[in-house]
Amino acid sequence: MGSTKQTTLRLSDERHRLLDEAKEIGANGQYDDPPNSDVIDAALTHLIESRENLDAARGEIDPTTIQLFNTSVLGLRYRTSIESRWR
């Protein structure tokens, strides 16, 4: 059996607000109150899957369209560079 790491999260007012808002998104109905750990797991999974999906879309979808899905947490940048083979 593997060891588990436990930590205590100190929730600022803003973190508490975000957690409550995320609980509403993840709740299965009006009277569902998912545990904080489930909400955090879902948020982490969503972040990872979103990044994988955006990375997979590169080359298939134009950069302007992909950038429409950028958020304050996750965003892709495209850079244009010109390189000369002549010196």
Side-chain angles (χ1 to χ4, degrees):
M1 181 157 71
S3 66
T4 60
K5 294 181 183 180
Q6 292 186 341
T7 185
T8 300
L9 293 177
R10 290 194 171 83
L11 297 179
S12 65
D13 289 344
E14 177 62 10
R15 277 186 178 167
H16 201 292
R17 185 192 67 74
L18 290 171
L19 190 56
D20 286 344
E21 190 173 338
K23 276 186 172 193
E24 289 177 18
I25 294 169
N28 191 14
Q30 180 180 355
Y31 301 105
D32 188 24
D33 186 21
N36 290 346
S37 59
D38 288 354
V39 176
I40 292 168
D41 288 349
L44 293 171
T45 300
H46 177 72
L47 179 63
I48 292 165
E49 288 177 354
S50 294
R51 177 58 188 254
E52 289 170 351
N53 290 340
L54 286 171
D55 285 344
R58 284 184 172 194
E60 294 180 29
I61 300 173
D62 68 281
T64 304
T65 302
I66 290 177
Q67 287 177 333
L68 293 174
F69 298 97
N70 287 351
T71 67
S72 61
V73 176
L74 181 65
L76 297 178
R77 284 182 263 161
Y78 285 84
R79 297 186 184 115
T80 302
S81 64
I82 300 172
E83 296 179 19
S84 175
R85 292 185 287 168
W86 308 101
R87 293 190 178 223

